[in-house]
């Protein structure tokens, strides 16, 4: 069923990762993703894997969910891995026609695959432990300096909040419309590509109509509560950095020093 | 002759997760061909899950659904044929409209059955007659219709497939009293004219009392009662424990009957009550007028 999609879904809980300030989590995620792609040797790569795994463990979210969030991208991982296998330079170990595999190619492929898995795991930790509202709050707060450059940060954040809020609603709606059309004999499962695309029309049109209807209703509801954009708007729940948050930030700084040292001192894998 | 029969029908959501919920629990009921069966139950009683299993939209986790004596899941690849025989009108069916014109939308089902354009159009016009959609509306875009008209167009879209069994899930939800009366009357007319089996799902005892021959009461996933409407209405106490309320008119006449007045205690509609109360008023007396 459609509702089985887990990528980017909040899993309520009260672990350390859940209680961490969303701004800290957001910055940390971006920071680690940066580090993942800077890791050039096995030790630093292992370090990022270890960090991601400790994040997973600390989040106390069932490991099953993480595996599920990896499921849709196994293909991508395998594809980029295999592609990289043939793009290494140096002495070929094995060759067939224009295809050849080198030692550098193998190392490259493994590193890319590991990086992608870690990337997904780290961002899953963020989305599993942070509610969509918290996440957009954090994005709005972190991007606030851009408002000086006349970037409508608040509007973007509001749009994101609304979009995220309506994902489950629209999924449920899609399910209902699909059931209704199936009950009228719509065949969604067989036929060629063209036929399958045509079979989507009876689902997409009602879905769009209902999305617009919801959008108009929401706009009316917001206006009748005097919403007029971000200026002068205060929050019911203001974000505060606690002791744990400062501790985590300090750890991140120490981690950066360690990472730079290891990268500088150890030889690159390729 | 039973047109539909369920044997130990069970459906469990989220098998193998901590969120496991049994929505329908060992339901064994039979639906007689040509009857008008009301299905009633509180929100979350499992009635929606039950009816979705009857036309093969969801596959039971245990048990069987027999259509004319045959297990509908005997050949999973031919489940579409079951859906043509057991027509299903969902709640708020107007959200399923998508075609350019109302007529084309009603023809969607018959065309999926493999009928020719001419045959499908004949079926569609016939169905539109049951739901009293005017000729000129049929050429309009479904999005130009009023709420009640959209609802009727959507119901016609299912009737047009000419199913043996028609299931309607809260067809009158969200309509004003007039629209509600109209839709229920049209469904009753359809039932009378076609002699088909109709299942009306509702949480309103008023609607069920007015239309159904027999009633199935669902409670916590189980089939609690199944019997003639009048007999079910006699179980007022048990029903209210399940969060269902007898129609106001039934309750009033029960009270009167309790006070020793010669009226029935399982009155199904205001009309029926009218004819029972009228002679009492004619007989006169302060007590009668007070009623």
């Amino acid at each position: 069923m459609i509702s089985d999609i887990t990528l980017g879904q909040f899993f309520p809980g009260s672990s350390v990762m859940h209680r961490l300030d969303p701004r800290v989590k957001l910055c940390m995620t971006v920071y680690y993703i940066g580090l993942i792609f800077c890791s050039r040797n096995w030790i630093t790569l292992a370090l990022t894997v270890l960090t991601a795994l400790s994040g997973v463990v600390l989040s106390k979210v069932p490991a099953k969910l993480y595996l599920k969030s990896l499921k849709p991208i196994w293909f991508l991982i395998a594809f980029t891995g295999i592609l990289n296998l043939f793009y290494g330079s140096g002495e070929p170990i094995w060759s067939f026609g224009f295809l050849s595999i080198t030692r550098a190619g193998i190392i490259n492929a493994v590193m890319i695959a590991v990086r992608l898995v870690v990337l997904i795991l780290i961002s899953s930790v963020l989305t599993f432990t942070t509610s969509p509202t918290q996440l957009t709050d954090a994005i709005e707060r972190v991007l606030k300096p851009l408002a000086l450059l006349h970037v409508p940060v608040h509007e973007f954040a509001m749009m994101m909040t609304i979009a995220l809020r309506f994902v489950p609603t629209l999924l449920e709606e899609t399910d209902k419309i699909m059931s209704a059309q199936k009950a009228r004999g719509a065949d969604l499962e067989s036929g060629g590509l063209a036929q399958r695309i045509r079979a989507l029309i009876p689902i997409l049109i009602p879905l769009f109509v209902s999305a617009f209807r919801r959008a108009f209703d929401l706009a009316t509801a917001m206006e009748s509560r005097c919403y007029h954009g971000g200026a002068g708007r205060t929050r019911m729940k203001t974000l505060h950095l606690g002791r744990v948050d400062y501790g985590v930030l300090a750890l991140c700084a120490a981690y950066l020093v360690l990472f730079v040292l290891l990268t500088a001192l150890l030889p690159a894998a390729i | 002759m039973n047109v539909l029969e369920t044997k130990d029908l069970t459906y469990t959501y989220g098998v193998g997760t901590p969120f496991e919920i049994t929505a329908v629990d060992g339901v064994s009921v039979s639906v007689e061909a040509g009857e008008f069966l009301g299905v009633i139950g509180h929100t979350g009683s499992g009635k929606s899950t039950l009816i979705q299993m009857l036309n093969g939209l969801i596959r039971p986790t245990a048990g069987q659904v027999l259509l004319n004596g045959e297990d509908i899941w005997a050949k999973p690849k031919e489940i579409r044929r079951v859906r043509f025989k057991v027509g299903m009108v969902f709640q708020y069916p107007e959200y399923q409209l998508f075609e350019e014109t109302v007529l084309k939308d009603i023809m969607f089902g018959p065309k999926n059955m493999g009928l020719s354009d001419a045959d499908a159009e004949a079926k569609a016009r016939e169905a539109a007659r049951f739901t009293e959609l005017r000729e000129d509306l049929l050429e309009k875009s479904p999005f130009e219709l009023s709420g009640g008209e959209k609802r009727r167009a959507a119901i016609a879209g299912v009737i047009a497939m000419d199913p043996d069994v028609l299931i309607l899930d809260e067809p009158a939800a969200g309509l004003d009293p007039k629209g509600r009366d109209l839709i229920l009357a049209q469904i009753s007319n359809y039932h009378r004219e076609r002699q088909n089996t109709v299942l009306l799902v509702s949480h309103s005892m008023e609607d069920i009392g007015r239309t159904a021959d027999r009633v199935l009461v669902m409670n916590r996933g189980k089939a609690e009662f199944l019997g003639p409407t009048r007999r079910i209405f006699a179980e007022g106490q048990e029903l209210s424990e399940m969060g269902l309320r007898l129609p106001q008119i039934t309750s009033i006449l029960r009270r009167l009957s309790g006070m020793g007045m010669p009226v029935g205690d399982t009155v199904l509609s205001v009309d029926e009550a009218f004819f029972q109360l009228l002679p009492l008023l004619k007989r006169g007396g302060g007590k009668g007028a007070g009623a």
Side-chain angles (χ1 to χ4, degrees):
Chain A
M1 230 162 69
I2 304 181
S3 50
D4 286 343
I5 297 173
T6 53
L7 195 73
Q9 236 176 39
F10 178 49
F11 189 89
S14 57
S15 71
V16 189
M17 293 307 288
H18 282 86
R19 279 177 286 135
L20 223 52
D21 190 286
R23 289 169 294 178
V24 172
K25 274 189 273 186
L26 180 69
C27 293
M28 243 168 67
T29 308
V30 176
Y31 162 78
Y32 275 117
I33 289 174
L35 287 191
I36 292 167
F37 287 96
C38 292
S39 56
R40 292 186 300 128
N41 58 51
W42 296 118
I43 304 291
T44 49
L45 192 68
L47 201 62
T48 56
V49 172
L50 219 65
T51 323
L53 288 181
S54 50
V56 167
V57 171
L58 283 175
S59 71
K60 292 201 177 140
V61 174
K64 225 187 193 172
L65 282 178
Y66 285 101
L67 290 179
K68 232 173 161 183
S69 70
L70 281 171
K71 220 161 101 188
I73 53 142
W74 276 132
F75 174 74
L76 187 76
I77 293 172
F79 184 74
T80 40
I82 289 169
L83 209 66
N84 271 285
L85 206 57
F86 298 110
Y87 271 90
S89 49
E91 198 64 15
I93 297 174
W94 178 87
S95 58
F96 177 80
F98 65 95
L99 294 172
S100 61
I101 296 177
T102 64
R103 211 180 88 85
I106 296 172
I107 291 172
N108 225 344
V110 172
M111 280 197 128
I112 286 283
V114 171
R115 279 172 183 162
L116 282 175
V117 171
V118 172
L119 174 83
I120 296 296
L121 283 184
I122 288 222
S123 29
S124 296
V125 171
L126 176 70
T127 51
F128 280 148
T129 62
T130 320
S131 76
T133 357
Q134 278 186 324
L135 196 59
T136 37
D137 264 12
I139 292 173
E140 184 176 358
R141 195 63 201 82
V142 169
L143 295 182
K144 210 166 187 180
L146 287 179
L148 293 174
L149 302 172
H150 299 290
V151 177
V153 175
H154 170 79
E155 279 69 20
F156 278 134
M158 181 56 85
M159 272 161 60
M160 262 191 70
T161 315
I162 293 172
L164 286 172
R165 159 66 185 74
F166 278 97
V167 166
T169 314
L170 287 178
L171 280 179
E172 203 179 300
E173 192 116 342
T174 312
D175 235 19
K176 274 189 194 155
I177 294 171
M178 275 171 75
S179 296
Q181 306 299 29
K182 272 199 220 156
R184 291 207 280 168
D187 188 3
L188 307 173
E189 276 117 28
S190 55
L193 186 66
Q195 202 181 338
R196 279 188 190 216
I197 290 173
R198 221 173 307 127
L200 283 180
I201 293 173
I203 289 157
L204 287 181
I205 290 179
L207 195 61
F208 271 111
V209 170
S210 118
F212 276 110
R213 187 174 42 81
R214 282 181 197 283
F216 286 129
D217 286 353
L218 182 69
T220 313
M222 285 168 80
E223 275 180 359
S224 59
R225 285 194 270 170
C226 303
Y227 177 79
H228 56 83
R233 206 172 144 79
T234 54
R235 308 201 152 273
M236 189 167 82
K237 288 180 188 154
T238 42
L239 297 169
H240 291 290
L241 289 179
R243 215 182 292 161
V244 186
D245 298 309
Y246 284 115
V248 167
L249 287 175
L251 261 177
C252 285
Y255 189 89
L256 184 64
V257 174
L258 181 67
F259 191 91
V260 170
L261 279 178
L262 285 174
T263 309
L265 296 179
L266 295 169
I270 309 166
Chain B
M1 175 62 193
N2 294 329
V3 59
L4 270 176
E5 201 178 335
T6 69
K7 281 188 178 162
D8 253 333
L9 199 61
T10 302
Y11 191 81
T12 310
Y13 285 100
V15 177
T17 69
F19 312 108
E20 208 174 282
I21 297 168
T22 301
V24 174
D25 191 0
V27 170
S28 301
V29 292
S30 333
V31 182
E32 288 161 22
E35 77 170 325
F36 197 125
L37 180 71
V39 180
I40 197 161
H42 197 243
T43 314
S45 60
K47 54 188 189 327
S48 290
T49 309
L50 173 71
I51 55 167
Q52 286 188 60
M53 282 192 279
L54 295 183
N55 80 335
L57 275 174
I58 50 182
R59 195 170 180 164
T61 39
Q64 283 182 313
V65 179
L66 305 181
L67 174 65
N68 295 319
E70 281 172 47
D71 185 352
I72 61 168
W73 285 102
K75 289 177 192 152
K77 283 200 174 148
E78 291 176 20
I79 196 69
R80 269 177 74 203
R81 281 172 49 194
V82 172
R83 295 183 189 146
F84 296 133
K85 285 190 176 155
V86 183
M88 167 88 85
V89 179
F90 280 91
Q91 253 184 65
Y92 300 103
E94 53 272 31
Y95 297 149
Q96 74 189 28
L97 301 172
F98 70 98
E99 272 286 8
E100 284 163 67
T101 68
V102 175
L103 184 68
K104 276 191 187 169
D105 202 280
I106 302 177
M107 283 164 64
F108 180 66
K111 296 235 358 194
N112 282 331
M113 293 168 76
L115 296 185
S116 69
D117 277 5
D119 288 347
E121 190 177 330
K123 292 254 187 205
R125 288 191 185 276
E126 171 76 1
R129 188 179 63 78
F130 277 116
T131 58
E132 295 170 57
L133 287 167
R134 294 193 317 272
E135 280 290 313
D136 60 308
L137 290 183
L138 296 183
E139 298 308 323
K140 278 194 180 176
S141 156
F143 301 108
E144 288 172 36
L145 304 188
S146 75
E149 287 165 347
K150 273 188 208 169
R151 175 84 50 103
R152 273 146 52 201
I155 293 175
V158 177
I159 288 181
M161 300 191 303
D162 202 4
D164 295 345
V165 182
L166 178 67
I167 304 178
L168 302 113
D169 191 357
E170 300 276 7
L175 293 180
D176 55 48
K178 219 173 149 190
R180 178 185 207 90
D181 288 349
L182 187 62
I183 287 225
L184 291 177
Q186 285 165 353
I187 296 167
S188 290
N189 278 337
Y190 164 81
H191 174 65
R192 210 170 308 128
E193 235 181 89
R194 282 281 168 89
Q195 305 278 312
N196 279 357
T197 316
V198 174
L199 264 72
L200 179 73
V201 180
S202 177
H203 64 256
S204 154
M205 300 275 280
E206 253 106 11
D207 296 355
I208 299 269
R210 264 157 50 179
T211 50
D213 309 324
R214 290 206 307 159
V215 180
L216 168 66
V217 182
M218 292 290 295
N219 187 36
R220 292 188 189 166
K222 291 194 170 23
E224 206 75 40
F225 298 114
L226 173 64
T229 311
R230 223 173 271 282
R231 206 156 74 218
I232 301 295
F233 273 40
E235 311 284 346
Q237 187 61 40
E238 280 89 341
L239 290 176
S240 71
E241 276 163 22
M242 290 171 208
L244 297 169
R245 203 172 345 155
L246 285 178
Q248 215 168 21
I249 192 68
T250 316
S251 305
I252 292 173
L253 266 75
R254 279 173 85 106
R255 293 266 299 267
L256 288 176
S257 151
M259 287 159 68
M261 300 252 183
V263 290
D265 57 1
T266 55
V267 171
L268 299 179
S269 67
V270 177
D271 285 349
E272 200 184 337
F274 176 78
F275 287 112
Q276 291 205 2
L277 291 173
L278 202 58
L280 293 181
L281 280 171
K282 276 186 181 153
R283 222 169 46 188
K287 243 171 114 185

